[in-house]
Amino acid sequence: MPTLLLVRHGRSTANTEGLLAGWTPGVALDERGAAQAAALPGRLAELPLSEIVTSPLQRCQETLRPLLDARPGLTVHTDDRIGECHYGDWSGRKLAELQDEPLMQVVQAHPSAAAFPGGESMRAMQTRAAEAVREWNARVERDHGADAVYLMCSHGDIIKSLVADALGLHLDLFQRIAVEPCSITAIRYTRLRPFLVRLGDTGDFTSLAPREEPPADDATVGGDAGAP
C-alpha cells in the first residue's frame, strides 16, 4: 500500500496570536509560515508524489501553493474529512482563556471523552480522518500502484490522531505526540500494519533549544506555533 506524507500547514496568524482557529475563516499563514511553505518544494524535490489531498481551510491551501506551482502536473483534491477539528464554541477563542475551562482537563487527559460545545467529539475527528486515509490509500494504490507516495496537508490534532491510529495507540495517548508547523510525518501502509517512518520532521531542531519560558506540561490544542 502507499506511503502517506502528512504535512501540517505552515505557521498561521492564529498560531502566533494564541487563538484556537478551528474552522474560523480567513486564518492565513504568517510571514514565517509563508517562508515554511516556500521551502516545502525543495524538501520534497526527490519524491515522486502521485496525488495531493488537502484540508479546505485557507492555511493549508496557502501552504501547498508553492509546491503546486513547482509541480503543475499534480492533481490536488480537497477533502473536508481532513479539515481541522470542529471546536464549536471554542473556535476563535484565546488558548490562555480556555485553560480555565473544565473541559480542557478532559481534552488533555481523556480526549476520547471530550466533545466540544457546539462542535464535534475528538473521537469523531479521529474516525473521519482515519476513514479518509484508508479510502485514499485504496484509491492511490489502484491508480498509481502499491509503491506510490502521496501527500495530505492537514492540521495538528488531525495528524496527531492519525499517528496514534497508525501506532495502535488509544486516542487518550495522542496528546503525547507533537507535530510542528510545516512538519512532515510519513506513514507507510502495508497489508498487515502501518509503519511510522518520520514524525514531525522539519529538518530544523531550533524548537528543541532551551527557551526563556519553559514549555507547558499540557499539549497545545490544535498544535503549537513551533520554534520562535
Side-chain angles (χ1 to χ4, degrees):
M1 295 180 72
T3 295
L4 168 62
L5 302 182
L6 289 162
V7 176
R8 185 183 167 200
H9 61 79
R11 195 173 75 176
S12 72
T13 53
N15 292 144
T16 49
E17 293 169 9
L19 300 176
L20 184 62
W23 285 68
T24 304
V27 176
L29 298 184
D30 68 6
E31 185 176 352
R32 182 179 176 86
Q36 291 170 333
L40 194 59
R43 295 169 63 197
L44 297 173
E46 300 301 316
L47 294 179
L49 299 176
S50 59
E51 302 272 2
I52 292 184
V53 187
T54 183
S55 157
L57 296 175
Q58 178 179 338
R59 52 198 183 273
C60 287
Q61 306 276 343
E62 290 181 355
T63 298
L64 288 177
R65 194 166 297 148
L67 179 61
L68 294 172
D69 288 344
R71 302 197 192 191
L74 272 177
T75 303
V76 60
H77 310 270
T78 299
D79 193 326
D80 287 359
R81 294 174 297 176
I82 62 167
E84 180 63 284
C85 185
H86 291 277
Y87 296 117
D89 297 344
W90 281 25
S91 299
R93 292 182 60 187
K94 287 274 190 183
L95 286 163
E97 297 173 0
L98 293 171
Q99 295 302 320
D100 296 329
E101 295 280 354
L103 178 60
M104 182 60 84
Q105 292 182 330
V106 182
V107 170
Q108 292 293 332
H110 190 20
S112 65
F116 295 98
E120 69 179 334
S121 69
M122 302 199 92
R123 294 189 316 278
M125 173 199 74
Q126 183 187 44
T127 297
R128 63 172 164 86
E131 286 179 350
V133 166
R134 282 161 175 75
E135 289 182 19
W136 278 103
N137 282 348
R139 177 172 172 174
V140 169
E141 181 173 9
R142 181 197 67 204
D143 294 344
H144 302 282
D147 294 329
V149 178
Y150 75 108
L151 182 151
M152 282 186 170
C153 187
S154 188
H155 306 267
D157 280 350
I158 295 287
I159 294 172
K160 288 162 56 179
S161 75
L162 290 171
V163 170
D165 175 76
L167 293 176
L169 291 178
H170 197 283
L171 184 62
D172 286 345
L173 300 178
F174 100 125
Q175 297 290 27
R176 302 183 184 194
I177 300 165
V179 290
E180 290 200 18
C182 224
S183 64
I184 300 173
T185 294
I187 302 173
R188 180 166 58 86
Y189 288 87
T190 73
R191 186 173 62 87
L192 296 180
R193 64 183 66 84
F195 293 89
L196 179 65
V197 293
R198 292 287 189 281
L199 176 61
D201 190 340
T202 63
D204 179 2
F205 294 94
T206 306
S207 64
L208 300 182
R211 302 186 187 184
E212 292 183 8
E213 295 184 8
D217 291 335
D218 286 339
T220 303
V221 181
D224 64 22

